Amino acid sequence: MQDLNDMLYFAEVVEKGSFAAAGRSLGLPKSKLSRRVAELESRLGVRLLQRTTRKLSLTEAGELFHRHCADMRDAAQAADEAVALVQTEPRGTIRVACPITLAQSTVGRVVPMFLERYPGVRIDMRVSNRVVDLVEEGIDVALRVRSTLEDSGSLIVKQLGPTHGLLVAGPALLARQGVPASVDDLARLDTVSMSAVDGKDTWHLLGPGNAEHALVHHPRYVVDDVLTVKEAASAGIGMCLLPDYMCSESLANGRLVQVLPGWGPRARIVHAVFPSRRGLVPAVRRFLDFLGEHMCGEQMLLEAGVRPAP
């Protein structure tokens, strides 16, 4: 059986990028780390690292071995934190990936509340719409908003609640062009959209009794940033589609008005995905539970007086 310390040393060397940096992190001499990794390679009968005067790089075997070393280290950390939970509050760093609009409208409000409740926890959040590889990039939790959960692969999924797209407009637009009484009346309103092909966009809407309607429109303003879409709608430029978590406050204070309540696109699912081993870590588990209690969902809509589509 491998010496587990050698696996830890190897993972630290890889992630710090040099024997010297890993030695400083571990409090060990550089020469000892270099010797231990060389002995590890000898026992395995394969080269794990390509050494040059400038940098270290992983061989193909080294990449595979490093994944297992990192898993072993994370499992040991999870075990340590699980025992700590019996004695004290959750602690440690949680690495989170979050889409931009979700961070700016909801998660950015929830995380400070969580950190205030659990002072022993740190959060390192990467805000981006890029799809991350949780295992490769060392992410503990990735937050997603999608219409299906089928593409989550081997990751564990925790649903945080539905999110509804809402038809909204500024009061000035409705005063100028009238309040629609039926789904057919929507066509007379100016619109703001994030995309258009040949000047045209289509919104697929659901209504009472699962009625369906395809609203084909020619946006007056096309902009591929949802916050800018929201500002334009608030200014009365046109009606738009926004996720509920982005506009509940504006609906409550009157900057936006829901257009034709009960009509909107199919609901999407706000959820968190995480590698199975990280779900056992107390800090991660508390964070997931906290998100479930405070993130968007039906309760948020009710508080804002919003009636979503089916």
Side-chain angles (χ1 to χ4, degrees), residues 198-218:
D198 296 328
K200 182 174 64 177
D201 193 12
T202 302
W203 292 341
H204 296 279
L205 308 176
L206 295 177
N210 288 324
E212 298 184 14
H213 180 76
L215 176 61
V216 180
H217 58 107
H218 296 80

Side-chain angles (χ1 to χ4, degrees), residues 91-95 114-115 118-124:
R91 57 185 175 83
T93 299
I94 307 172
R95 296 171 179 83
F114 175 80
L115 293 174
Y118 300 105
V121 177
R122 298 174 181 270
I123 288 184
D124 179 356

Side-chain angles (χ1 to χ4, degrees), residues 34-218:
S34 181
R35 184 180 72 253
R36 292 290 291 265
V37 171
E39 292 172 353
L40 176 63
E41 290 177 315
S42 178
R43 286 197 301 273
L44 291 172
V46 65
R47 182 172 292 279
L48 301 173
L49 291 170
Q50 297 287 1
R51 300 163 174 82
T52 68
T53 55
R54 289 191 172 188
K55 66 176 183 177
L56 299 174
S57 60
L58 286 169
T59 64
E60 183 178 352
E63 290 180 359
L64 179 63
F65 189 69
H66 173 253
R67 292 194 191 103
H68 292 285
C69 291
D71 286 346
M72 179 275 298
R73 180 197 56 204
D74 289 346
Q77 180 185 357
D80 182 64
E81 293 179 358
V83 172
L85 181 62
V86 178
Q87 303 170 326
T88 185
E89 288 290 293
R91 57 185 175 83
T93 299
I94 307 172
R95 296 171 179 83
V96 181
C98 183
I100 295 172
T101 56
L102 198 61
Q104 293 175 340
S105 59
T106 304
V107 178
R109 171 179 54 83
V110 172
V111 166
M113 296 163 55
F114 175 80
L115 293 174
E116 183 177 7
R117 180 173 298 184
Y118 300 105
V121 177
R122 298 174 181 270
I123 288 184
D124 179 356
M125 188 163 74
R126 313 297 170 84
V127 179
S128 170
N129 290 333
R130 179 178 62 87
V131 178
V132 300
D133 185 318
L134 277 72
V135 176
E136 289 292 331
E137 300 181 45
I139 300 296
D140 298 315
V141 176
L143 302 177
R144 295 174 176 173
V145 183
R146 296 182 180 175
S147 56
T148 178
L149 305 178
E150 295 177 357
D151 59 352
S152 298
S154 61
L155 298 170
I156 306 300
V157 177
K158 178 180 176 64
Q159 294 191 41
L160 302 174
T163 177
H164 300 270
L166 304 177
L167 287 168
V168 296
L173 176 79
L174 300 180
R176 185 172 71 248
Q177 297 186 327
V179 177
S182 71
V183 71
D184 293 325
D185 293 339
L186 294 174
R188 73 167 184 257
L189 297 183
D190 289 335
T191 57
V192 182
S193 183
M194 292 188 65
S195 63
V197 178
D198 296 328
K200 182 174 64 177
D201 193 12
T202 302
W203 292 341
H204 296 279
L205 308 176
L206 295 177
N210 288 324
E212 298 184 14
H213 180 76
L215 176 61
V216 180
H217 58 107
H218 296 80

